[in-house]
Amino acid sequence: MPSVACCTMKVWKEVEHMGRIIGIDLGTTNSLAAVWQDGESRLIPNSLGEYLTPSVVSIDEDGTVYVGKIAKERLISHPEQTASVFKRFMGTGKTYKLGGKSYRPEELSALVLRKLKEDAERYLGEPVEEAVISVPAYFNDMARKATKDAGALSGLRVERIINEPSAAALACRGFGKSGWQEENDETLLVFDFGGGTLDVSLVDCFENVIEIAAVSGDNHLGGSDFDAVIAEQFCRENQLEFRQLDLKRQEIILASAARAKCALTKEEYTVMSVADEDFWEKMELSNRKLIQISMHLFHKMIVPVKSVLNDARKKMLDISKVVLVGGSCKMPTVQQYLRRFLPDSQMTAMNPDYMVALGVGIYSGIKERNEDIKDVLLTDICPFTLGTGIYNEADKARPTMAAIIDRNSVLPCSKVRKFRTATDFQNVICVDVYQGEEYYVADNIYLGELSVSVPIALKGQEAITVRYTYDINGILIVDVKVDSTGEEARQIIMTGMDTIAPEEVDAYVKELEKLKTPPAGQEETKMLFAWGERLFAQSTGELREEIGRRLQYLHYLLNQEENSIRIKKWEKGLREFFENADRYLDMAELSWEMDQGDSWYQERTQEEEDSEEDYVRWYDGHLTS
Ligand code: ADP
Ligand code: MG
């Protein structure tokens, strides 16, 4: 009897302890996770104690996988094993070759998700089973399906995908213990300026309803464009030709440009410098100069703002709040520029980096059915037009697009349109289904087709009624009815053509499981190696030698299986050394005074002294052996 009771207990307990649900902002440049805890949405720190995990994956020949900051460093030291910005190609079938094997963007995203999941489990001390993931509002069905697949591959259940601007609006509305802070009617303009894309959305809010009214954006405008402009200018001023430099050097200059750009958030003026084997050049940069050299980028920023207002038939004056989201909104120049166009609106740039993640965190709380949080209704819109090809009298070979569901229609939605036969004695009408905004159907995305037969008659005498029904899960139902005969046909289109089929998921999961993640305790060490290798690639002369030696010493300590305190102490000093080296490489005006007694080591503690002495002893022995 007791054993039965025991058994029941266990089952009951398992049900009670179902894993947590977290919210994930799976970004092009950076990803974040958040969870609903103690009545608020909280960001989850990763294993390095940081909230932002760069969406970069690096895979060694031996199958070791690095995700985040370490992988970002390896973008420079091991470019052929490292991938970034793969979110842009979700659901496209593009592949990346890393460490001798190819990976789909879904798989690379799965590795990022797996890292966030592991970090969250460590932070929460309990398993995480499910995630709510945010995606750009313009993501098509394939990209959404691919995002869900990435979740499945990482071992996370993903039932709900929410739009990034809806998440930002949710965070902005101050949804917390006290429920809605504001019950009033608001129209928010969410300006999400990230690393590679600009997404602009109009979001209507009323009580607990959040509805996207229109979306627009620029798929090829983001922080990296500023980096590129700064890098080009740097090369111009230093008589270099960016495009003629090798990949590694280009990456080094771009990374330095990005650091200079970020420095201008806090300061008016900075010096960008790049040291390499054959050159050591610098360039002065100020916010004023940045505006001058990137005026064309600023002009592009305002285009999607006008477009969403047009699509939603609203004026600037109708906007209650402008919500600045994304790392590039931290640029003072961007904020200044927007103020010229959006003068009367209240601009909120509270936590541009965190808004989306905090919002998804709130939604994960709602999904967990926490009692301290009210439910919220997020409605989606169809970010693209769905239509069919129609006969083009002027150019018979090139049918044109007839829209059935217009872009920015609120979902779910069902629209009807009538079509007539185009030629005499036509006995079949084919409805081909397309998605896109282009005039010629051939320039849009083909989704499928269905045909019905019609009685033979003169042109225009027979008609069909076509109904498109489209919901937030990306299922498009096409119904066609022949008016004269009443014959009906239906086609259901699940637009995940090039995504992973359910029966393939297991195989992919097995492949990904073969990839080893370094154990959490070693991550700091791996990070230092990646950091050191990047600095080694970037520096020259005495500094480079010193970096190499210090890395070797770390290897030596690890091989000796020295007591971990000694390793930890060395790592702490190494981290400082690298920070200084980075600062030094960024500021050419400081001189490298190795032989004048390491000027930046003046404030060393006794512990650090000891650690350093051990190193010098090792180094001397090492040279003579
Ligand atoms: P995504 O949504 O694409 O993942 P993020 O919102 O994280 O991207 O933004 C990343 C971009 O923000 C990068 O181009 C980065 O250089 C830029 N960025 C981050 N911090 C700053 C800063 N302090 N000043 C200027 N740009 C910044
Ligand atoms: Mg983002």
Side-chain angles (χ1 to χ4, degrees):
M1 279 309 275
S3 66
V4 174
C6 227
C7 200
T8 328
M9 269 287 283
K10 189 162 178 287
V11 171
W12 186 79
K13 269 216 135 116
E14 263 173 16
V15 172
E16 196 191 37
H17 283 270
M18 279 216 310
R20 301 280 322 250
I21 307 180
I22 58 171
I24 292 177
D25 167 8
L26 186 61
T28 313
T29 322
N30 295 300
S31 297
L32 299 92
V35 68
W36 188 259
Q37 216 173 31
D38 300 328
E40 61 179 12
S41 177
R42 285 210 186 134
L43 297 174
I44 299 176
N46 61 24
S47 49
L48 298 170
E50 292 164 359
Y51 294 134
L52 269 66
T53 297
S55 309
V56 185
V57 173
S58 186
I59 302 175
D60 255 351
E61 253 91 29
D62 76 348
T64 307
V65 53
Y66 304 92
V67 175
K69 209 169 173 183
I70 302 178
K72 193 176 169 186
E73 296 287 3
R74 288 170 61 94
L75 213 46
I76 291 176
S77 58
H78 301 82
E80 63 295 326
Q81 296 175 350
T82 312
S84 61
V85 290
F86 35 85
K87 175 174 170 181
R88 181 165 269 170
F89 301 99
M90 286 294 263
T92 63
K94 180 187 161 90
T95 56
Y96 291 78
K97 223 173 167 77
L98 301 183
K101 284 180 77 177
S102 13
Y103 297 91
R104 303 166 72 114
E106 292 89 311
E107 293 178 88
L108 298 173
S109 301
L111 293 169
V112 175
L113 291 171
R114 191 169 87 181
K115 174 84 168 71
L116 296 172
K117 175 181 190 276
E118 287 165 2
D119 286 344
E121 287 176 339
R122 195 171 316 118
Y123 172 79
L124 295 167
E126 57 184 320
V128 171
E129 269 192 349
E130 186 180 338
V132 178
I133 303 179
S134 59
V135 298
Y138 64 79
F139 251 28
N140 64 22
D141 305 329
M142 289 181 230
R144 280 166 203 260
K145 164 82 166 44
T147 306
K148 284 190 173 178
D149 288 344
L153 297 183
S154 73
L156 283 166
R157 189 169 64 242
V158 182
E159 285 175 359
R160 191 75 165 105
I161 297 270
I162 70 173
N163 289 318
E164 289 166 6
S166 309
L170 203 51
C172 181
R173 291 276 282 180
F175 205 125
K177 272 191 193 109
S178 45
W180 290 108
Q181 304 287 303
E182 294 166 74
E183 300 270 309
N184 56 329
D185 207 345
E186 278 187 317
T187 297
L188 309 182
L189 186 132
V190 179
F191 189 90
D192 184 348
F193 202 9
T197 55
L198 167 63
D199 305 324
V200 181
S201 326
L202 272 190
V203 186
D204 286 328
C205 305
F206 183 67
E207 294 187 344
N208 68 334
V209 182
I210 292 184
E211 184 169 298
I212 298 191
V215 295
S216 182
D218 191 328
N219 238 327
H220 292 279
L221 181 64
S224 57
D225 292 295
F226 287 97
D227 305 345
V229 167
I230 296 170
E232 290 276 356
Q233 181 70 17
F234 175 87
C235 288
R236 203 171 306 125
E237 290 187 19
N238 292 296
Q239 285 79 48
L240 295 165
E241 186 62 56
F242 185 79
R243 255 155 269 280
Q244 274 163 17
L245 300 174
D246 59 55
L247 255 180
K248 202 170 209 163
R249 235 180 239 181
Q250 289 186 356
E251 288 291 346
I252 290 173
I253 296 180
L254 283 171
S256 181
R259 280 199 295 275
K261 175 189 72 176
C262 292
L264 289 181
T265 309
K266 298 219 167 63
E267 269 140 90
E268 249 327 289
Y269 168 89
T270 188
V271 177
M272 164 181 168
S273 101
V274 178
D276 202 333
E277 283 149 31
D278 341 309
F279 67 88
W280 185 346
E281 308 290 0
K282 56 179 182 168
M283 177 180 80
E284 298 183 352
L285 190 65
S286 63
N287 275 318
R288 201 192 167 88
K289 181 170 169 187
L290 180 60
I291 294 177
Q292 280 165 359
I293 61 175
S294 50
M295 209 55 221
H296 59 292
L297 299 179
F298 285 97
H299 288 320
K300 282 167 88 176
M301 271 165 39
I302 209 69
V303 177
V305 174
K306 291 185 176 153
S307 161
V308 280
L309 290 168
N310 260 336
D311 277 5
R313 296 184 181 77
K314 294 219 180 197
K315 296 185 290 295
M316 295 282 187
L317 285 176
D318 300 325
I319 294 168
S320 2
K321 237 183 236 167
V322 177
V323 188
L324 301 185
V325 177
S328 300
C329 275
K330 291 192 280 184
M331 292 170 69
T333 46
V334 168
Q335 298 191 15
Q336 270 162 27
Y337 185 77
L338 289 177
R339 283 216 169 80
R340 289 173 41 191
F341 294 92
L342 308 162
D344 292 314
S345 331
Q346 225 182 316
M347 233 183 253
T348 18
M350 279 160 19
N351 285 312
D353 281 329
Y354 306 149
M355 290 302 265
V356 172
L358 287 171
V360 203
I362 295 174
Y363 200 85
S364 72
I366 295 171
K367 195 137 192 310
E368 274 187 334
R369 309 208 165 276
N370 273 290
E371 277 170 12
D372 51 1
I373 182 170
K374 263 200 274 177
D375 202 357
V376 59
L377 188 68
L378 302 180
T379 66
D380 284 73
I381 47 131
C382 182
F384 36 73
T385 300
L386 290 166
T388 184
I390 53 170
Y391 185 70
N392 176 6
E393 195 80 54
D395 184 353
K396 295 184 179 67
R398 303 182 76 193
T400 59
M401 179 90 165
I404 297 178
I405 293 181
D406 264 320
R407 69 161 183 272
N408 288 327
S409 301
V410 173
L411 301 180
C413 117
S414 191
K415 295 270 169 67
V416 171
R417 200 168 156 176
K418 242 187 218 312
F419 296 93
R420 295 186 170 278
T421 44
T423 54
D424 288 344
F425 315 121
Q426 182 177 346
N427 60 351
V428 172
I429 301 184
C430 174
V431 177
D432 39 14
V433 184
Y434 285 91
Q435 162 195 320
E437 314 307 318
E438 304 301 327
Y439 178 63
Y440 293 111
V441 288
D443 299 328
N444 292 319
I445 301 172
Y446 170 82
L447 298 179
E449 63 183 50
L450 77 168
S451 302
V452 284
S453 41
V454 289
I456 294 179
L458 290 179
K459 131 180 172 190
Q461 285 190 347
E462 282 296 323
I464 55 169
T465 303
V466 179
R467 175 183 290 277
Y468 279 14
T469 307
Y470 191 64
D471 71 3
I472 52 170
N473 300 312
I475 297 169
L476 172 66
I477 302 171
V478 180
D479 285 306
V480 179
K481 188 174 174 189
V482 182
D483 290 2
S484 60
T485 64
E487 187 195 329
E488 286 180 21
R490 162 174 282 194
Q491 169 97 352
I492 296 175
I493 299 176
M494 293 277 303
T495 44
M497 287 184 304
D498 210 359
T499 54
I500 299 174
E503 61 274 16
E504 289 169 9
V505 167
D506 278 348
Y508 276 103
V509 169
K510 287 220 176 70
E511 277 303 304
L512 292 187
E513 271 169 1
K514 285 191 202 142
L515 300 174
K516 303 164 280 188
T517 326
Q522 283 175 23
E523 197 161 21
E524 181 78 23
T525 314
K526 296 273 179 190
M527 165 67 202
L528 284 168
F529 277 118
W531 192 351
E533 281 169 34
R534 193 256 298 159
L535 280 170
F536 188 87
Q538 204 175 343
S539 55
T540 52
E542 187 54 35
L543 174 58
R544 181 164 56 187
E545 304 243 319
E546 189 59 29
I547 290 167
R549 273 195 299 265
R550 282 171 191 255
L551 282 179
Q552 270 185 29
Y553 184 57
L554 182 56
H555 262 303
Y556 164 80
L557 288 181
L558 293 167
N559 285 342
Q560 297 290 301
E561 296 191 28
E562 269 293 346
N563 72 56
S564 50
I565 294 185
R566 198 161 148 207
I567 296 173
K568 282 287 153 246
K569 278 185 189 160
W570 179 249
E571 286 184 348
K572 184 166 171 252
L574 202 54
R575 175 177 278 273
E576 256 164 58
F577 184 92
F578 288 166
E579 273 167 9
N580 281 315
D582 256 336
R583 212 168 300 145
Y584 163 74
L585 287 172
D586 271 352
M587 292 187 288
E589 72 265 44
L590 285 188
S591 57
W592 176 256
E593 291 166 354
M594 280 299 296
D595 19 11
Q596 290 176 27
D598 308 3
S599 49
W600 11 278
Y601 269 98
Q602 274 154 15
E603 287 173 50
R604 261 193 240 145
T605 61
Q606 188 57 47
E607 267 183 6
E608 282 161 352
E609 282 293 348
D610 294 346
S611 186
E612 191 72 15
E613 259 172 39
D614 285 345
Y615 163 64
V616 173
R617 223 170 290 132
W618 167 81
Y619 173 43
D620 288 343
H622 175 75
L623 275 189
T624 52
S625 66

